[in-house]
Amino acid sequence: MSTMGDGTRAVRAGLPEPEQYEPTLPGPVFAAHFHLSGEPTGPYTYGRDTNPTWTHLERAIGELEAPGEAVETTVFASGMAAISAVLLSQARTGDTVVLPDDGYQALPLVREQLEAYGIEVRTAPTGGDGQLAVLEGARLLWIETPSNPGLDVCDLRRVIDAAHAGGTLVAVDNTLATPLGQRPLELGADFSVASDTKGMTGHGDILLGHVTCRDPGLAAGVRRWRKVVGAIPGPMEAWLAHRSLATLELRIDRQCATALVLAEALGKRQEVTGLRYPGLPTDPSYPVAVRQMRRFGSVVSFVLPDREIAERFLAGLRLVDDATSFGGVRSTAERRARWGGDAVPEGFIRFSVGAEDADDLIADVERALDEAMG
């Protein structure tokens, strides 16, 4: 499937060989245990270890992450389960881990846990390849590009090559881009990680995550961690996720196209500052993003003058839900500072573009801005 287009690959990914009178995508397998006579040498023995529904989904994600290559994917109950599996399966007491200081809001919680285990944690910004300055002697580098919610981008090849030169493993959180926007393994990463709650499944109704590796040894460590902590997805969630992948390109292409139009419209508004979208040619990240990304994601961030105006803007939107998360077919937006933990102004808006008609969405945003400014 390495020569197929993204849409064809997404539609066909992970499907078993056709069998007469069987469904194209077999239904979810609900099983805590399987028939198991004699020695447990088969692929399915116990429901915490393996499940046929996971197998189909893991193969599908692997085909999207690295078309035509031999990779191993492990699916998890959530994005945080996937993140934790990489960090906690690879780092030991006395090791050093490098995290972004502008990444996902829960990373500080991960930092606390790592430090409680006697692991040194260093942080640096994503933009300007800032993590290069604190790499020396690290066991693992965690990259998030584009960063969430600030949408900064680092040069993946440059940073990964520098990390590997010093013997450091590299994990890339690819949640915002998805494999259709960016393929970290092709750029040299050891782990490609994502919260599939977001764009991969795209409907805001499934919690899921995954880790994909080329190295079977690294993959085995991640898979062992899943078994030890039991952070497994339900078969129904895994099946729904696989079904959702079929529309991945359709969704992502629509979202990315509209996100660019939204960014262009916001750039003309005097009350909007701090506008960021990696696919906007005037964005500071664009020169790097265009070299390593094929699609630029569904998230646009910007700043309104103060908290009150931001709240009025969000309340005035009719086609956009005020909700956290991103990547869904229904547009969402939120005043990110309400959570604390992100170094953003009170009027900072993270806007996730859905699959609505661009004209309708832009009109809704323009009207809500006009009303919010009074």
Side-chain angles (χ1 to χ4, degrees), residues 262 265-266 269 271 309 312-320 359-374:
L262 174 63
L266 290 169
R269 303 283 307 208
E271 68 271 36
I309 290 173
R312 289 202 299 271
F313 166 68
L314 292 170
L317 292 166
R318 296 169 187 163
L319 298 179
V320 183
D359 289 347
D360 295 335
L361 189 64
I362 304 308
D364 191 38
V365 169
E366 297 271 18
R367 180 195 48 74
L369 281 172
D370 290 340
E371 293 176 357
M373 293 303 295

Side-chain angles (χ1 to χ4, degrees), residues 283-344:
D283 190 274
S285 291
Y286 181 80
V288 176
V290 77
R291 293 199 304 267
Q292 65 193 27
M293 299 183 73
R294 297 179 300 129
R295 295 171 176 87
F296 300 100
S298 62
V299 177
V300 178
S301 66
F302 56 97
V303 181
L304 295 177
D306 56 39
R307 174 176 179 165
E308 289 71 25
I309 290 173
E311 295 284 7
R312 289 202 299 271
F313 166 68
L314 292 170
L317 292 166
R318 296 169 187 163
L319 298 179
V320 183
D321 297 327
D322 191 341
T324 196
S325 198
F326 57 85
V329 291
R330 288 171 287 277
S331 292
T332 59
E334 69 172 335
R335 193 181 65 82
R336 191 64 189 165
R338 65 181 176 176
W339 297 98
D342 290 319
V344 295

